[in-house]
Amino acid sequence: MEPLNESLFDAQALEFPAALASALAPAALPGHFDELRGQATPAVPARPAAGAAPLAPMPPMLYDAAAQPPGPSQAQLQTQSQTQTQTQVVQPAPGDTPPLTPAWNAFFEQLGPGGFNDLPRRAVSLERQIRDNGVTYNVYADADGPQRPWSLDLFPLIVSPESWAQIETGVLQRTRVLDRVMADVYGPQQLLAEGLLPAALVHGHPGYLRAMHGVKPPGDTWLHIAAFDLARGPDGNWWVVSQRTQAPSGLGYLLENRLAITRQFPQAFEALQVQRLAATYSAMMDGLQRMCPAGVPPHIALLTPGPYNETYFEHAYLARYLGLTLVEGSDLTVRDQRLYLKTLQGLRPVHGLIKRLDDQFLDPLELRPDSTLGVPGLLQAIRAGNVLVANMPGSAFLESPALLGFLPGLARRLIGEKLKLPALPTWWCGERAALEAVLPQLGDCAIKPTYPGSDGQTSFDAVLGSKLGRRELDEWAGRIVREGEAHTVQSYLPLSQMPTWANDMGPGHIAPRAMLLRVFAVSDGPQSWRVLPGGLARLAGRDAQIASMQRGGSSADVWVQTHGEVDRTTLLQPHATPASLARHRAPVTSRAAENMFWLGRYTERAENAVRLARLTLNLLGSEDQSSRPLLDWLHRMALRNALVPAEAPSAPQSRRVFERALIAELGDVARGGSVGFSLRCIRQAAAAVRERLSQDTWNQIVRAEADFLRRAAEQAGEGSFATGAALRALESASTALAAMTGAQTDRMTRDDAWRLLSIGRHIERLGFLASALEAGFENGAVHEVSGFEAMVALFDSTITFHARYQQRRDVATLVDLLVLDAENPRSLAWVTQTLRGRIARLAGSAPGKLTALSYELPDPAAWTLEHLCAAGAEADYPALVQLLASCETAAYHVSDAIGTRYFTLTSESLRSVGA
């Protein structure tokens, strides 16, 4: 159990914050490097039991210094035969408190006037900022599941210039080696022929793509983004634990971490000379653009699996930061071995692709045939040299932990250098010698899978031998002997511990946490890379020995200090020309357009359902409940809009049962048409276009759904959803939807995506209002005062009606306001005219010029009050009823036509632009 601090809130905290931190912060666990004090905490030697045999020595830990490469059967053991040089651990005298490192001392001294007293407020502010910004990480993201907030600690990890120099040099060197390994494996395969790389780790790995053999990547560069997970040992040196090359995550989260933490500690950030990040991102984009095979300027997109992926927030964030088009596989198509983006204006060429999708899902034609995330024919376009992909497909075998043991020999062979940044000693059990040497040491090592499982997940999680009993160790030894190739054993290293701000045990206090550092190398040109001066620190949970976000860990910002000048480059382009701005205007993808269209439709549908449900509940409890035409009209509208199940008794038959059925369905997210279902669909459509919505708009959408479903669940738990509680929930939802509509109307750019959102809303409004008015005339409800007032209220026009017509209650006034008034945004004439104009504008027509699709809607200019109010032989209004039916039919016909033309691209819009 970790020790707790004394109270931090005393007078000393204001005067000597660094000294107070040194006195109150617990030391790292014995045997771990203490980042706060810059030295290891002395390990407590274990006292062996009487008569126990001494522990067997571990296999040699580092690399062979021999000039000649080792033979194939002994490669691993010999490349790990050099003995590690240990740094002497300085043990403080009893009672002494080790001082903080200069960097941490400066950090605490720059806390400002509030000192430690202000840390609880900053922690709350940080948590609120993460929540308000919608930063999420979902291990098992699901359409119906809650979003899990990103976990970020208040304190950053501070890396000194000297430590960073070791990291930077070693990471650059390893990136060069890995890139050349890929070039050889997919080219001459000399490393396999010479036995420096076992064929089982390449050809036997599911991530090796035979379809990529012989491919020449643009710029002769295979790797554009590589991530390395580093651990600091008790000696203070950094060690490579693993490497990620397929689709490494973290480049977006670390940006959010940096913005959030620097906002909390601006003075300390400036005082510590922390290197900025923008220059590296800018260099990466410049390098990718130069290496793209065609296009001036080239069009680069970021390929994401979609909003249900656990790191989708990062994909959207990174695309927005870098100015990339965020695309899913369905947004792209391959024609004549070239990659295109499906946009509202047709097919637009794509010259570069940053993928956040595992290789096996990239192309269902040549890889996983069941993949719906990739692009059919993408590998053809890559082989033809028509598109740059970062990283090039086929790098998954580099992520195998078994490869770490072979890299020293590969480095000597490929670049003629000795690796400067060591990896943890690693033994691939597919070699007999390595297997026999490591089996006695399983209790002191980590057991890892050599290959991922067939489903894309690891066949088993990494297992720490120290957590296993004797029987379990024997079972694992048996598995390793039977399937040696599938197992890799890695030496266990006690992770360094950094200070964190913990408030899970009462008052906030400093607590040490184990930490793993992820750093990134990015290409800035052909065969050239640079290391991002920062990274993502992943923190282990309480009492955990493995730092993993998937196991409930946290993260921390990484501050890399520099002795030189801080690079203050930004991604702003002050000298951009008007022509370049026009060329770089972001395209609207067909998928984004479709989701915007349905976002508009579901927003309007939810508003209509809320208004209808409120009106129904209020009328069922009023004195007008005896009007049979009114009750029949309410029942018809509830059925048409799926607010009640078909088997429920009608309102005239059993008013109370009908009322209870309607209330029970309000929060049912499985029933299409319910308020809860529509609110959920709004969130799902918004999630798919998250990059196009402001944070305030997204927060409104999430809160509206959560609040309404919470209210419904609370009432359901009590056995019923009372009418009063239902009305309050509907009123709250109505307010939230009004805020959403206001944001859509006043806070979004009027581009084609917004036009489709508006078109979707007005199609839904036209169909709903026309059907409501038609039903009212069909059953005669409008000819009674109660039905007349209900119709006006459903059109949200009560105040306007009474102000204009006083006490008149006749068909002419109803038609004039609800059908013909060109200034009433809920009249059929206004909605239809707006739809006609926006559909024409979407097609690129000049203002006032309509298109063929616009003419599919009735022309309000041809409507007259006299014609519509002409009564028929049976005192009905045939012209009006016919018009209402045609409005409803036309609305949904136009909806289908828009989907065909703009979303599926199966009409005349199937063309390419800018090729």
Side-chain angles (χ1 to χ4, degrees):
M1 179 176 177
E2 72 182 26
L4 292 178
N5 306 93
E6 302 292 338
S7 173
L8 298 179
F9 310 109
D10 52 34
Q12 295 182 17
L14 297 176
E15 298 181 11
F16 308 107
L20 192 62
S22 177
L24 296 182
L29 293 177
H32 295 254
F33 187 85
D34 190 336
E35 296 285 347
L36 186 63
R37 296 175 174 87
Q39 63 184 45
T41 303
V44 179
R47 179 175 299 176
L55 292 175
M58 283 293 293
M61 294 187 67
L62 269 180
Y63 309 120
D64 178 32
Q68 298 297 324
S73 63
Q74 297 292 329
Q76 283 179 282
L77 296 181
Q78 292 189 21
T79 54
Q80 296 179 6
S81 63
Q82 183 181 11
T83 303
Q84 179 185 13
T85 302
Q86 299 290 339
T87 302
Q88 182 178 3
V89 176
V90 179
Q91 298 191 22
D96 289 349
T97 301
L100 306 184
T101 65
W104 279 107
N105 190 82
F107 175 84
F108 286 111
E109 290 297 336
Q110 293 293 332
L111 288 181
F116 273 103
N117 288 353
D118 200 34
L119 290 179
R121 181 197 62 80
R122 297 190 199 199
V124 172
S125 173
L126 176 63
E127 184 178 352
R128 183 186 306 115
Q129 182 179 345
I130 294 296
R131 183 178 64 251
D132 291 347
N133 287 353
V135 190
T136 57
Y137 177 86
N138 300 323
V139 179
Y140 302 106
D142 133 23
D144 300 329
Q147 298 279 311
R148 170 184 164 187
W150 177 249
S151 183
L152 175 61
D153 193 74
L154 184 62
F155 293 152
L157 171 68
I158 303 175
V159 182
S160 68
E162 293 75 22
S163 284
W164 186 250
Q166 178 199 5
I167 292 173
E168 184 175 34
T169 303
V171 164
L172 285 175
Q173 185 189 47
R174 283 180 171 269
T175 304
R176 289 166 51 210
V177 173
L178 293 178
D179 185 83
R180 291 303 87 197
V181 168
M182 276 198 74
D184 179 82
V185 163
Y186 290 107
Q189 298 192 342
Q190 289 296 317
L191 299 176
L192 297 175
E194 296 174 13
L196 292 174
L197 191 57
L201 294 184
V202 179
H203 297 153
H205 196 288
Y208 172 73
L209 304 182
R210 287 168 176 79
M212 292 297 294
H213 192 268
V215 172
K216 298 294 183 184
D220 193 29
T221 302
W222 289 84
L223 296 180
H224 302 89
I225 304 171
F228 297 86
D229 292 326
L230 310 179
R232 176 176 269 186
D235 62 349
N237 290 322
W238 292 95
W239 301 75
V240 176
V241 177
S242 61
Q243 52 206 18
R244 294 288 177 263
T245 54
Q246 241 192 135
S249 61
L251 280 175
Y253 285 119
L254 70 86
L255 276 173
E256 178 64 30
N257 286 0
R258 173 60 56 88
L259 293 174
I261 297 303
T262 53
R263 182 175 297 179
Q264 300 301 324
F265 303 107
Q267 295 176 331
F269 184 76
E270 289 293 333
L272 289 174
Q273 287 285 97
V274 179
Q275 193 59 276
R276 308 305 201 260
L277 305 174
T280 303
Y281 285 94
S282 178
M284 179 184 73
M285 292 306 303
D286 290 343
L288 291 176
Q289 290 173 353
R290 290 198 305 272
M291 286 187 284
C292 279
V296 182
H299 179 204
I300 301 177
L302 191 150
L303 177 62
T304 173
Y308 299 147
N309 182 264
E310 64 265 22
T311 58
Y312 179 74
F313 167 84
E314 175 179 69
H315 306 168
Y317 186 95
L318 199 58
R320 182 179 296 179
Y321 179 76
L322 298 177
L324 303 174
T325 307
L326 184 66
V327 300
E328 295 181 25
S330 58
D331 293 326
L332 302 170
T333 185
V334 173
R335 305 289 166 86
D336 298 327
Q337 298 185 340
R338 294 183 181 276
L339 185 64
Y340 292 93
L341 175 67
K342 293 184 283 188
T343 75
L344 292 181
Q345 288 72 39
L347 302 180
R348 177 177 175 179
V350 176
H351 311 102
L353 203 60
I354 299 177
K355 66 177 179 68
R356 293 302 303 270
L357 189 63
D358 285 348
D359 293 343
Q360 59 186 323
F361 297 100
L362 283 176
D363 188 343
L365 290 183
E366 301 190 50
L367 301 174
R368 280 188 62 152
D370 61 340
S371 172
T372 59
L373 304 177
V375 187
L378 178 59
L379 291 189
Q380 284 185 326
I382 294 173
R383 285 195 296 266
N386 293 327
V387 61
L388 176 148
V389 178
N391 290 327
M392 290 289 284
S395 67
F397 76 94
L398 297 177
E399 297 183 349
S400 173
L403 193 69
L404 292 175
F406 295 91
L407 282 179
L410 296 175
R412 288 194 297 268
R413 170 65 174 78
L414 293 172
I415 65 174
E417 298 175 7
K418 179 180 176 181
L419 291 179
K420 299 176 182 178
L421 184 63
L424 285 183
T426 307
W427 297 268
W428 177 51
C429 297
E431 286 192 339
R432 184 84 182 165
L435 173 65
E436 293 176 350
V438 82
L439 279 180
Q441 318 301 328
L442 285 183
D444 299 312
C445 296
I447 307 169
K448 297 184 175 183
T450 301
Y451 312 112
S454 59
D455 60 351
Q457 303 296 323
T458 55
S459 51
F460 62 89
D461 292 331
V463 176
L464 292 180
S466 59
K467 296 291 186 180
L468 303 177
R470 172 49 56 189
R471 180 176 178 179
E472 293 171 309
L473 280 172
D474 291 341
E475 291 175 354
W476 273 104
R479 294 181 206 171
I480 294 173
V481 169
R482 291 190 300 272
E483 301 176 353
E485 287 187 1
H487 296 80
T488 298
V489 177
Q490 191 174 69
S491 178
Y492 170 72
L493 180 75
L495 298 178
S496 67
Q497 296 191 327
M498 64 168 285
T500 65
W501 182 255
N503 56 5
D504 55 346
M505 296 180 62
H509 61 283
I510 299 175
R513 288 284 186 271
M515 175 274 303
L516 200 65
L517 172 62
R518 173 166 289 189
V519 297
F520 296 86
V522 299
S523 63
D524 55 7
Q527 283 295 296
S528 176
W529 295 268
R530 64 171 63 187
V531 180
L532 186 76
L536 184 69
R538 291 180 290 165
L539 310 178
R542 171 187 289 273
D543 301 326
Q545 294 177 282
I546 297 178
S548 170
M549 300 301 295
Q550 293 183 343
R551 299 187 182 186
S554 182
S555 71
D557 190 18
V558 178
W559 290 7
V560 174
Q561 292 182 283
T562 177
H563 289 315
E565 184 177 351
V566 173
D567 189 334
R568 300 182 184 274
T569 301
T570 71
L571 294 187
L572 296 177
Q573 299 180 3
H575 303 297
T577 64
S580 68
L581 291 176
R583 288 197 303 268
H584 284 89
R585 186 166 297 164
V588 180
T589 68
S590 296
R591 176 191 54 83
E594 184 174 12
N595 280 287
M596 292 292 282
F597 176 77
W598 282 102
L599 176 61
R601 288 197 66 171
Y602 277 117
T603 303
E604 185 70 22
R605 189 174 297 179
E607 280 198 276
N608 294 337
V610 167
R611 186 177 293 108
L612 179 59
R614 292 178 70 187
L615 178 66
T616 302
L617 292 177
N618 282 320
L619 289 175
L620 290 176
S622 71
E623 59 185 15
D624 296 321
Q625 59 185 272
S626 60
S627 171
R628 187 174 183 84
L630 173 62
L631 293 179
D632 180 65
W633 178 73
L634 292 175
H635 180 242
R636 285 191 187 190
M637 291 302 298
L639 279 178
R640 284 190 181 187
N641 293 276
L643 291 183
V644 295
E647 63 272 14
S650 66
Q653 289 175 333
S654 178
R655 183 176 59 81
R656 288 302 178 196
V657 175
F658 174 79
E659 180 183 47
R660 287 197 296 270
L662 187 149
I663 291 174
E665 297 296 317
L666 288 177
D668 187 356
V669 295
R671 175 174 290 278
S674 75
V675 176
F677 179 85
S678 295
L679 289 173
R680 173 144 297 176
C681 289
I682 291 173
R683 178 176 64 80
Q684 291 172 345
V689 288
R690 177 83 177 271
E691 73 280 7
R692 288 187 164 269
L693 304 178
S694 71
Q695 191 58 50
D696 286 344
T697 301
W698 172 253
N699 290 342
Q700 286 173 351
I701 292 171
V702 172
R703 283 197 297 265
E705 181 203 13
D707 178 68
F708 187 81
L709 295 183
R710 176 185 57 79
R711 290 171 181 263
E714 288 175 353
Q715 292 297 323
E718 297 176 3
S720 66
F721 199 170
T723 302
L727 285 170
R728 288 191 294 274
L730 289 168
E731 182 180 0
S732 176
S734 177
T735 302
L737 287 164
M740 287 184 214
T741 303
Q744 293 172 4
T745 303
D746 297 332
R747 297 187 180 182
M748 297 184 69
T749 303
R750 263 53 172 177
D751 61 359
D752 286 341
W754 178 85
R755 290 187 185 92
L756 277 164
L757 181 146
S758 179
I759 288 170
R761 283 185 54 203
H762 289 96
I763 282 176
E764 195 71 31
R765 182 178 300 179
L766 180 62
F768 174 78
L769 295 180
S771 69
L773 202 53
E774 181 187 14
F777 275 93
E778 282 182 350
N779 81 332
V782 296
H783 300 304
E784 296 187 358
V785 174
S786 58
F788 192 101
E789 291 286 352
M791 192 70 64
V792 174
L794 187 64
F795 275 67
D796 199 18
S797 301
T798 301
I799 295 177
T800 303
F801 183 88
H802 289 295
R804 183 178 298 179
Y805 305 108
Q806 302 299 323
Q807 298 301 316
R808 288 186 60 180
R809 300 285 189 281
D810 54 62
V811 171
T813 57
L814 191 73
V815 172
D816 184 51
L817 179 63
L818 304 188
V819 178
L820 299 177
D821 192 341
E823 297 180 351
N824 179 7
R826 292 196 173 271
S827 77
L828 300 186
W830 188 95
V831 174
T832 304
Q833 190 62 37
T834 301
L835 264 176
R836 286 160 62 96
R838 287 183 180 156
I839 289 173
R841 187 72 181 88
L842 181 66
S845 298
K849 300 292 183 180
L850 299 183
T851 62
L853 188 55
S854 298
Y855 285 112
E856 296 289 334
L857 292 162
D859 182 7
W863 305 349
T864 64
L865 186 62
E866 293 76 9
H867 177 65
L868 296 179
C869 291
E874 299 181 4
D876 57 3
Y877 298 86
L880 176 60
V881 172
Q882 182 180 3
L883 173 65
L884 295 176
S886 67
C887 283
E888 184 179 6
T889 301
Y892 299 121
H893 171 73
V894 167
S895 175
D896 293 339
I898 286 175
T900 300
R901 177 167 184 170
Y902 294 107
F903 306 152
T904 62
L905 295 184
T906 55
S907 65
E908 73 276 5
S909 64
L910 188 57
R911 62 191 184 278
S912 61
V913 293

